[in-house]
Amino acid sequence: MTTPTALIPAQAAARLDDYTVIDVRTPGEYASGHLPGAHNIPLDHLHTALPALKAAASRSNLLMVCASGNRSTTACTELAAADIPATTLTGGTTAWAGEGHTLQRPENSRAVWPMERQVRLAAGALVLLGLAAGTRWRPARWLSAAIGGGLIFSAATNTCGMAAALAKLPHNQPRTTDLHATLQALQD
């Protein structure tokens, strides 16, 4: 098993041509802006992509990227378990753009909110719904309590069940043809 490593954006920018960049965010997040030349393989499809990633890693180093570095670190751990060496971008595309590096956007793509923003909207809306419905039917306030408890659990475990659920929405799913083409490109 290999040990995942990390690069800060300045290091990655200086050596970007040495890497095959894999963006593990949802397709919608990827469309909102990604590192130049990045391939999109959502984290929940990573297991399917292992053979293609192993082939790509045999030709060049893999740089795993997400919005903040959490999902890419998870991806690196999963790849390390499969003996595929990979590096994560510390701070993700947020830090990359924050340091003034450019992000590419696919032509004719519709930008989707980052997953963190989608989670904040869904959680806030559910809390308000629980409170508003609770004025007529008191047990509805438990919805707000459940969302609050879920947010605490999410912070304590550094996982997010709501993000996992939102990632399954159609706008966050890769089109099968896109994922297949990405995997084919990594195999070649």
Side-chain angles (χ1 to χ4, degrees), residues 9-43:
Q11 293 170 318
R15 299 179 41 212
L16 197 58
D17 292 338
D18 297 341
Y19 288 94
T20 298
V21 181
I22 308 296
D23 193 318
V24 295
R25 297 176 298 160
T26 67
E29 291 175 291
Y30 174 82
S32 68
H34 55 270
L35 270 68
H39 300 277
N40 184 221
I41 301 175
L43 185 59

Side-chain angles (χ1 to χ4, degrees), residues 157-169:
T157 62
N158 198 27
T159 62
C160 187
M162 189 176 289
L166 290 172
K168 304 229 181 284
L169 292 175

Side-chain angles (χ1 to χ4, degrees), residues 61-74:
N61 298 316
L62 297 180
L63 177 63
M64 309 307 285
V65 180
C66 67
S68 65
N70 288 334
R71 286 177 279 179
S72 59
T73 299
T74 300

Side-chain angles (χ1 to χ4, degrees), residues 44-147:
D44 57 344
H45 293 273
L46 197 65
H47 185 71
T48 305
L50 288 177
L53 290 169
K54 190 169 200 83
S58 70
R59 292 187 305 276
S60 70
N61 298 316
L62 297 180
L63 177 63
M64 309 307 285
V65 180
C66 67
S68 65
N70 288 334
R71 286 177 279 179
S72 59
T73 299
T74 300
C76 284
T77 301
E78 187 173 330
L79 292 174
D83 281 331
I84 301 171
T87 301
T88 186
L89 179 64
T90 303
T93 55
T94 303
W96 177 270
E99 289 189 13
H101 304 293
T102 61
L103 293 174
Q104 288 183 335
R105 289 173 180 78
E107 289 184 33
N108 302 324
S109 66
R110 184 178 53 100
V112 174
W113 285 357
M115 187 55 66
E116 180 186 345
R117 189 173 180 191
Q118 292 180 48
V119 167
R120 289 193 316 250
L121 174 69
L126 289 170
V127 167
L128 285 177
L129 176 66
L131 291 174
T135 62
R136 295 266 187 206
W137 186 58
R138 288 185 60 79
R141 296 188 317 177
W142 285 105
L143 174 62
S144 299
I147 297 300

Side-chain angles (χ1 to χ4, degrees), residues 157-183:
T157 62
N158 198 27
T159 62
C160 187
M162 189 176 289
L166 290 172
K168 304 229 181 284
L169 292 175
H171 66 274
N172 285 324
Q173 286 297 304
R175 292 192 317 244
T176 306
T177 55
D178 291 346
L179 184 58
H180 178 72
T182 298
L183 297 179

